[in-house]
Amino acid sequence: MSQYQPLVELEQRKNPIQKGTKLARRIVGGRYSLLRDIRLLLVHAVELPWIVFPLKPEDDSHPELWPNSYPSYLDYLSVVAQMIVPTERKSVSYGTLAVIPHDYVWPQEKRQSKWFFINGICTSPAMALLEAKEVAATFQRPIHLIHTPTAGVVRDLWNAITARSLRKDGYLSRPAFNIVKNALLSHEKVVLTTYSQGTIVASYIVRKVLKDPVLRLHAHKLEVYCIGGAADSLHIDHALSAEHGHSVPYVEHFANGKDFFARVGVLAHYHDTSGAIFVIPDKKGHMLNSHYIKGIGRGDYCDQRSRLFKYAYGAEAGPHDYIPTDRRR
């Protein structure tokens, strides 16, 4: 059992009355954020059908909702069933499972960096592994999976709303924060590739890192890349950024202009979001494998200028490959 599992189980065992009272207080305190988000949902509802379409836009992609993407039809049926059936499930990996790209050659000298992937909502173990494999293949590095398990689409959406609008994000984000904390203390560079709901988790992690007096000394090691971001904010530290000559932590965002979750997330809150935001205005779709990762690997979003692109297919980003914090596309 992971050392982080008890944190999740403790959260789930809290007294129902205590949980209800605390949630009611959060709703009252966060009512303006909730009303803001309801308005955004209504305004951008027209983009909802394009979350999953087109299902297979590129021949060499491995779409999450395409049966042939999985080793067996049983895995695919599990993916669909876990989206629909509402129940609590355990994470398949609290950063312990590393996905190794095919034909990966381990460097003779140990790299002092560690890469993580944090998934979005409705993600079963099979889907999380499929997405992590695609990230590993794109960047030709071992990717450590931080899996947020699905409790079914309705409960996942509720958890995402309360985490984002009411800042009730400990259940989702505390295990991930502890993993990143340990990595920052033991590595020269920590890279978070985050997708959809994972960007809400990333926002929480950044807030906690910058508030911690010890971790602040290591915050310059952290790089956060947000894909199809659903978060409503992500802030850097301007004093640390001035000290190190680049934003701390370093952040970039990638969004499709017709992606519903990006429209109600990063694209609706760019004024409250630090880091370069790269957008393809007319592109549809929200799925990581189907609609994002191939284009990111080719540099489609950024004209091959972003720091994340510099890492594609095993390359290394250099000390001057940071995008200024006020850069937008």
Side-chain angles (χ1 to χ4, degrees), residues 231-249:
D232 63 354
S233 64
L234 202 160
H235 298 291
I236 63 170
D237 187 284
H238 293 286
L240 290 174
S241 299
E243 178 183 341
H244 291 278
H246 60 80
S247 67
V248 176

Side-chain angles (χ1 to χ4, degrees), residues 163-312:
R164 167 179 142 145
S165 304
L166 306 181
R167 296 293 187 258
K168 185 180 178 293
D169 44 11
Y171 167 71
L172 291 176
S173 307
R174 196 179 300 121
F177 165 71
N178 287 320
I179 294 162
V180 173
K181 171 184 175 179
N182 291 335
L184 282 172
L185 295 174
S186 59
H187 291 76
E188 294 302 314
K189 182 192 299 181
V190 176
V191 178
L192 294 183
T193 52
T194 67
Y195 160 63
S196 190
Q197 178 184 260
T199 65
I200 300 174
V201 176
S203 179
Y204 172 92
I205 291 171
V206 169
R207 288 198 302 272
K208 294 286 284 186
V209 166
L210 294 178
K211 286 181 180 179
D212 188 293
V214 174
L215 290 181
R216 278 182 60 84
L217 303 177
H218 301 270
H220 63 282
K221 304 175 184 177
L222 182 61
E223 299 181 14
V224 182
Y225 299 102
C226 301
I227 303 170
D232 63 354
S233 64
L234 202 160
H235 298 291
I236 63 170
D237 187 284
H238 293 286
L240 290 174
S241 299
E243 178 183 341
H244 291 278
H246 60 80
S247 67
V248 176
Y250 182 72
V251 185
E252 290 179 356
H253 307 264
F254 300 83
N256 293 334
K258 301 296 184 180
D259 174 355
F260 170 79
F261 286 105
R263 293 288 295 178
V264 302
V266 62
L267 298 181
H269 301 281
Y270 64 90
H271 57 281
D272 210 21
T273 301
S274 299
I277 302 174
F278 299 106
V279 185
I280 299 180
D282 296 324
K283 190 172 182 181
K284 299 174 181 176
H286 177 67
M287 305 305 291
L288 178 73
N289 288 9
S290 300
H291 309 124
Y292 276 106
I293 198 67
K294 292 292 184 182
I296 290 172
R298 291 190 299 259
D300 294 353
Y301 290 83
C302 60
D303 295 329
Q304 302 188 351
R305 294 180 292 114
S306 81
R307 185 172 178 83
L308 183 59
F309 170 76
K310 305 294 183 182
Y311 290 115

Side-chain angles (χ1 to χ4, degrees), residues 49-58 63 284-287 290-291:
W50 299 109
I51 290 174
V52 300
F53 296 108
L55 284 178
K56 198 175 191 300
E58 302 189 47
K284 299 174 181 176
H286 177 67
M287 305 305 291
S290 300
H291 309 124

